[in-house]
Amino acid sequence: MRDSSPPKPIALIAASAPPRTKPSNYPEPFFTRMSRREKRPLGDLFGLKNFGVNLTRLMPGNQSALLHRHSKQDEFVYVLEGEPTLITDQGECTRSPGMCAGFPAQGVAHQLVNRTDRDVVYLEIGDRTAGDEGTYPCDDLQASLGAEGRWIFTHKDGRPY
Amino acid sequence: MRDSSPPKPIALIAASAPPRTKPSNYPEPFFTRMSRREKRPLGDLFGLKNFGVNLTRLMPGNQSALLHRHSKQDEFVYVLEGEPTLITDQGECTRSPGMCAGFPAQGVAHQLVNRTDRDVVYLEIGDRTAGDEGTYPCDDLQASLGAEGRWIFTHKDGRPY
């Protein structure tokens, strides 16, 4: 084993995993747009280091993230329940369970939005390549990944929020 | 975009993705044990480079892989259909849809086996850390990841198959 912490589980029911308690550190007015999403980190529970896997629930009216792209990290989502709208800077379309989408680093900007009156549940996977940056084409925001894996958000001219 | 190849899709129905046509290069007698599994690479279709995602179908009597562990790469599986048996070098248990399992590098050796008369379908995710090696506690086999991402299999004493 790579660490000396207590033994990790080998398998579990994903929906029973504890929700993330540390909220996003998106500054306002952006934070509120993502306030009704619930992320259950799954990969961390097993001690995975190279990529993260979340079971994420988007309540009606909420969104996965601001429209964004990563500079170095890839992302993948697989829809388990509900019908999210996938918005990219090339257009938008509705997704159903069994559909998946992938967003390579430096690819299209993207976000999932729940415009229905039912919850949307999906798996999201992202790697942890260091030195990643987030670009937000529609908002006065930019992000860089800090040494501790926490995003540092600023205005586009570099001023802190 | 990171390459000049034709535009990649942004989203698709996972089950409609084309199956992998290149078979595993496990040597016999091991190849046959994995001959009735079907992998649909999903991440590659979107141009993801940092990790792979497969939609994998295990027909009755088949197994995901030999009991193995990785030296550098993490793995994660999420069961979508059926009831695979998860076997590790610490024991075994049956999994159902909605269950997930994670296998950090240098963690427990693991494999999924379909002992039922129905297909098993799951998502499997693995990163692509270079220099990875595969260890097989129950079989006279060892593997190292070649420069082109293809496994090189030998006996445990290094003789080629």
Side-chain angles (χ1 to χ4, degrees), chain A residues 82-113:
Chain A
E83 299 199 330
T85 302
L86 170 62
I87 301 176
T88 74
D89 47 11
Q90 296 180 357
E92 60 181 72
C93 52
T94 305
R95 308 288 82 189
S96 307
M99 300 193 82
C100 61
F103 310 107
Q106 300 178 42
V108 298
H110 55 276
Q111 67 179 158
L112 291 175
V113 176

Side-chain angles (χ1 to χ4, degrees), chain A residues 30-66:
Chain A
F30 310 115
F31 177 84
T32 304
R33 297 190 209 164
M34 271 73 67
S35 61
R36 297 192 63 233
R37 65 177 189 193
E38 187 177 64
K39 289 180 185 253
R40 297 175 191 275
L42 302 177
D44 295 351
L45 296 178
F46 301 112
L48 305 192
K49 307 285 188 197
N50 300 338
F51 56 88
V53 182
N54 292 327
L55 180 70
T56 300
R57 178 175 295 270
L58 281 190
M59 287 68 159
N62 239 249
Q63 59 191 51
S64 63
L66 299 176

Side-chain angles (χ1 to χ4, degrees), chain A residues 11-12 14 49-50 74 98 100, chain B residues 11-12 14 49-50 74 95 98 100:
Chain A
L12 52 79
K49 307 285 188 197
N50 300 338
D74 291 342
C100 61
Chain B
L12 51 79
K49 307 284 188 199
N50 300 337
D74 292 341
R95 309 287 83 187
C100 61

